[in-house]
Amino acid sequence: MFITVIQFSADELTVARFSTQRSQLLFLEGARHRLDETPLPELLAAWKEKSGGDRIILSLPAALFSMREIELPLGERKKARDILPLELKGEIALESDDLIFEALPLEAGTYAALWCNATRLAPHIARLADAGLDPEIVTSPLFSWHHLLPAGDSTCALTDGEAAAIYRGRTPVYLRALPGGIDKNLDATLAAVELAKGITVEQLFSLAGSGGDAVVSGSAPLPISPALAACFPSDTAAARDLASAYAAAADLMTNDPVNFRRGPLTFVRRTLELRRKLRLTAALAIAALLLLFAESGVRYYLLQKDLTSVEASIRKIYGEAFPKRSKAVDEVAEMKAEIKRLGASSSQGVLAVLKKLSDAKGEDLTELYEIDIDGSQVSGKGVARTLQGVNDFKARCAPLFGGFEVSELKSRSDGATGFSFRSGSKEVGK
């Protein structure tokens, strides 16, 4: 994932690009531009090609936003954000329908209620959108400075010349924009917090200006935390110069940054991109289903074709086996019944008797015909090449049929001998 932070101050534009790698930010490139030296569209155009596809953060001066401390016994920031319009409805002169609210947790039980008029933010968003850099997040540097502070429980203040924040450890205690004279406003802010909350600021840190110098005399330079140093390896000057941009990108990585791109200004580009991806996925799924149905249809057609071919073969076999019968209702069932009636599985059935005759036929016997099976008696006629062949056939059939008689021996013109036969027992095959 790539993140581009576009930060406006009173007279400067700061742009910084970061990439994410295993939940860590890595600095790619950045620059500061004087707004009175180069037209803004030209400055933004230079970053359009570099930032295509990035998640864009627009960071605006804190003076655009209204802030107030409010007590809310809620542990979830989303719930606090949702209830703010009702809590502040009687105390804000503006129409709440045009306001966008945010909430930033302070010390236990309190929140910084943040709001801004949508019509004030819309032009800032529009000029970036027109330049092809439609921001997903709209915020202010003041709301994410806690990512810059070192670990510890000391009370410190941090300022960039346009806003100031007081922290106990990394928990914000007080936030304020500083329009006008910074030194006077900052001194008054620190004194008011000390009187109202009994908090003494132990250290005052200053974010570097464009020249690298502290914006407040007597303040200490911002300490470089391990995370900030890892993002800007071996470049302390860039780390201090682009610290606010880093904090905004780090806030985005928490998945719940302070973001005024809500309500009438809701960011829709990512939603539209997601919809396009979902439409493509849906189209592919429909295509896959159509192919599946088409394959099933082809398989069904081929199966029906095979079944029709098999049924035609069965009807043909049935017609050849029983030529004098009319069309059967169920050819297969009738064939099974006929085979069963013939006794194919019985040792005394018709087929069993014919098999015995075939086994006893021998090589000299050329033909058996007009075979009649009546119960357990078998009779018929045959032709053998020699008279000896007839006697051999009789000898082989005698043990198989429990007695066997041969009669009507006749010589034929081709030298063969015709004869008739009959089994001599009523218990054929025993």
Side-chain angles (χ1 to χ4, degrees), residues 77-94:
R77 181 177 159 200
K78 182 180 182 302
K79 292 182 179 179
R81 182 169 57 224
D82 293 340
I83 204 174
L84 282 180
L86 297 176
E87 288 289 327
L88 300 175
K89 187 173 183 180
E91 302 180 28
I92 299 176
L94 299 173

Side-chain angles (χ1 to χ4, degrees), residues 315 318 326-334:
R315 285 194 296 269
Y318 181 84
S326 59
K327 184 178 180 182
V329 176
D330 188 345
E331 291 88 351
V332 175
E334 291 194 17

Side-chain angles (χ1 to χ4, degrees), residues 149-358:
L149 297 174
D153 297 328
S154 62
T155 302
C156 64
L158 183 60
T159 182
D160 65 350
E162 294 185 351
I166 299 174
Y167 297 88
R168 196 194 304 272
R170 288 183 176 175
T171 302
V173 176
Y174 186 81
L175 308 174
R176 187 191 175 189
L178 298 174
I182 179 173
D183 292 329
K184 181 179 179 181
N185 283 324
L186 182 59
D187 292 340
T189 297
L190 298 179
V193 171
E194 183 174 357
L195 290 174
K197 296 180 176 290
I199 296 176
T200 301
V201 175
E202 301 170 7
Q203 292 176 300
L204 174 61
F205 298 123
S206 177
L207 295 171
S210 59
D213 300 325
V215 295
V216 179
S217 59
S219 63
L222 175 72
I224 305 299
S225 65
L228 187 59
C231 182
F232 297 87
S234 305
D235 196 346
T236 304
R240 286 199 171 95
D241 199 38
L242 300 174
S244 290
Y246 163 82
D251 209 28
L252 175 59
M253 292 185 64
T254 65
N255 295 321
D256 192 17
V258 173
N259 183 16
F260 287 87
R261 198 79 199 267
R262 304 179 185 279
L265 301 180
T266 298
F267 179 70
V268 297
R269 189 190 72 185
R270 188 170 295 277
T271 302
L272 294 176
E273 291 176 353
L274 180 60
R275 286 179 180 175
R276 283 196 292 269
K277 292 179 181 179
L278 289 177
R279 281 199 294 268
L280 176 61
T281 303
L284 293 176
I286 292 172
L289 287 175
L290 290 176
L291 290 175
L292 179 61
F293 285 130
E295 182 186 9
S296 301
V298 171
R299 288 178 178 270
Y300 179 79
Y301 168 76
L302 295 175
L303 180 60
Q304 287 296 110
K305 187 176 180 180
D306 291 342
L307 289 175
T308 302
S309 176
V310 170
E311 290 175 354
S313 299
I314 291 174
R315 285 194 296 269
K316 182 178 179 182
I317 294 171
Y318 181 84
E320 292 175 353
F322 308 103
K324 296 183 180 180
R325 291 188 182 182
S326 59
K327 184 178 180 182
V329 176
D330 188 345
E331 291 88 351
V332 175
E334 291 194 17
M335 288 288 287
K336 287 182 178 180
E338 289 295 336
I339 293 173
K340 184 176 181 181
R341 189 173 66 83
L342 289 173
S345 61
S346 171
S347 62
Q348 297 182 2
V350 174
L351 296 180
V353 172
L354 293 177
K355 185 177 185 304
K356 290 178 182 180
L357 291 174
S358 176

